[in-house]
Amino acid sequence: MPNLIFLLPDQLRYDFLGCYGATFLPTPHIDSLAQGGVHFRNAYSAHPVCVPARASLMVGMHALRTGVLDNGQALRPDLEACGIQTWPQLLGANGYYTAAVGKMHFYPWDVRLGFQYRSIAEDKRWLHIRDDYYHFLHARGLRRYHGQEHEGYFENRGAIINRLPWECSVDHFVGMEAVRFIREHGAEGPFAMMVGFPGPHCPYDPSPEFLEGLDPAAMPEPAPDAGDTPIIRQHNIQGNLGPWNGVDYTVFTEEHKRKIRLHYAASVRQIDYEVGQILQALRQAGLENDTVIVFASDHGDYLGDHNLIGKGQFFESSAHVPLIVRDPRQPGPVLCDELVALTDITPTLLG
């Protein structure tokens, strides 16, 4: 049986990757997956909000069946009594060692949902939970910071430079933990590991070294305001005023949008670097040719498209997601233009 790695950055829109046509930032390691696998160019999230998308992925069901229709809701705790098992439960019962590394966005945050191994680095905004990333920082005399504790957070509409050094940033921690799992457990038998990067989700907080070489003027222009969606726009503003974020997007200029896109691009570069480290660990462990890799995201990010930020509606930049499957037994590149859904990943992993 092949090993399975499911890489899931949070809120990564499809067109900020080189293999999807982004010429303004380098993503060589993610692009290499597309070059060696199947590159799905029309993959969509039927639930372009964090928790509904992830809950549906766990059980392979549409949100209307899971009942998880928005953030703050969760899969019911008596799933098994209902005859429902998660994909890590099913794989674990069939000889796989299942692992969840990084952000899963489960409620409660430390529930396992069938994963036998967990190293937890939850949402950037969850400042007070004592997950594994908390203990990593605490041992170094550090802590998580709210976006508003950074210079220019409100003025730049959430685009900031992370106060933590790169080696202590959350995406680097997730990458390190995934590499550690491969080195310590990869040779023990078939494994299935889901890796959840908290980035490039807002706040748009890259480390400064990943901004180097990126040209603000090269960032793509946002899609124009749809013109007839005042309720969507107002809900978008109100939702971001909550204490989790606190940024007021009532005034949202082209300069704001360009700055956000630049910092978002740098955050994507960080994740590409970590994907490269994971691929290198597989090669060093002699597992590259025995491991299927799935790369996707739960949803995208408007980044100023339609004068909006974040996600939640079925606009292209919110619902269109990257999806790449690299199976060394079926080398690529293969371009697939068929319409596929994010929840197609669940039966694919089981298959």
Side-chain angles (χ1 to χ4, degrees):
M1 296 189 295
N3 303 309
L4 304 170
I5 295 180
F6 179 16
L7 302 171
L8 191 75
D10 191 357
Q11 203 157 301
L12 173 60
R13 55 186 280 168
Y14 75 103
D15 56 353
F16 270 63
L17 296 173
C19 54
Y20 282 88
T23 59
F24 50 90
L25 80 157
T27 53
H29 304 297
I30 297 169
D31 294 350
S32 73
L33 295 176
Q35 283 296 312
V38 183
H39 175 194
F40 294 91
R41 296 195 286 195
N42 289 297
Y44 285 83
S45 176
H47 325 94
V49 182
C50 303
V51 178
R54 292 163 181 267
S56 289
L57 275 170
M58 291 307 297
V59 295
M61 293 178 174
H62 193 279
L64 291 175
R65 296 189 66 198
T66 67
V68 182
L69 299 173
D70 204 348
N71 289 345
Q73 300 172 348
L75 290 169
R76 55 190 294 165
D78 60 344
L79 280 177
E80 287 191 78
C82 299
I84 299 170
Q85 290 183 292
T86 64
W87 65 261
Q89 282 180 302
L90 291 165
L91 290 178
N94 284 276
Y96 276 87
Y97 185 38
T98 59
V101 174
K103 177 179 177 178
M104 298 293 119
H105 218 147
F106 297 157
Y107 293 134
W109 60 267
D110 55 352
V111 70
R112 288 185 172 267
L113 291 185
F115 286 111
Q116 297 155 299
Y117 174 104
R118 286 206 69 185
S119 178
I120 307 174
E122 267 303 334
D123 196 288
K124 295 181 189 181
R125 307 283 192 174
W126 294 6
L127 303 181
H128 305 298
I129 64 170
R130 297 195 174 191
D131 57 7
D132 295 294
Y133 180 55
Y134 164 89
H135 291 292
F136 170 83
L137 291 177
H138 186 70
R140 290 156 178 79
L142 299 170
R143 64 175 178 87
R144 282 182 171 98
Y145 293 99
H146 192 287
Q148 65 191 20
E149 297 180 83
H150 294 75
E151 182 180 353
Y153 177 70
F154 296 110
E155 298 88 336
N156 296 319
R157 303 302 188 265
I160 53 178
I161 299 294
N162 201 319
R163 285 182 59 174
L164 292 169
W166 164 244
E167 60 270 17
C168 294
S169 65
V170 67
D171 286 327
H172 186 52
F173 173 81
V174 171
M176 288 192 302
E177 286 295 288
V179 166
R180 185 167 71 88
F181 178 87
I182 292 168
R183 290 174 176 166
E184 294 183 2
H185 302 285
E188 296 176 356
F191 66 84
M193 176 172 60
M194 184 172 176
V195 182
F197 291 102
H201 192 291
C202 65
Y204 309 106
D205 59 347
S207 298
E209 50 265 52
F210 288 92
L211 280 162
E212 294 175 4
L214 292 180
D215 181 4
M219 296 299 112
E221 294 295 320
D225 194 329
D228 59 351
T229 57
I231 295 176
I232 291 176
R233 165 80 170 135
Q234 192 55 42
H235 284 178
N236 190 251
I237 292 169
Q238 287 300 124
N240 281 284
L241 286 174
W244 67 276
N245 190 354
V247 175
D248 187 350
Y249 289 95
T250 303
V251 176
F252 198 15
T253 67
E254 296 306 303
E255 184 179 352
H256 291 143
K257 295 168 187 175
R258 190 175 299 111
K259 180 85 169 178
I260 285 169
R261 286 169 175 247
L262 177 68
H263 284 235
Y264 183 89
S267 299
V268 175
R269 284 183 76 185
Q270 294 181 169
I271 291 168
D272 183 75
Y273 173 84
E274 297 304 330
V275 170
Q277 296 300 295
I278 291 169
L279 295 177
Q280 180 178 330
L282 287 173
R283 287 190 292 270
Q284 291 174 342
L287 298 172
E288 184 178 27
N289 294 325
D290 298 313
T291 304
V292 174
I293 298 175
V294 178
F295 181 94
S297 186
D298 48 357
H299 49 75
D301 191 321
Y302 300 122
L303 299 179
D305 285 352
H306 317 298
N307 216 21
L308 302 171
I309 196 73
K311 70 283 183 181
Q313 304 293 334
F314 292 98
F315 290 118
E316 188 80 355
S317 49
S318 174
H320 193 166
V321 294
L323 177 56
I324 302 165
V325 179
R326 195 208 72 174
D327 186 340
R329 301 165 300 177
Q330 300 175 352
V334 176
L335 295 177
C336 180
D337 288 323
E338 291 184 34
L339 184 65
V340 296
L342 184 66
T343 42
D344 289 331
I345 291 172
T346 312
T348 298
L349 292 171
L350 295 173

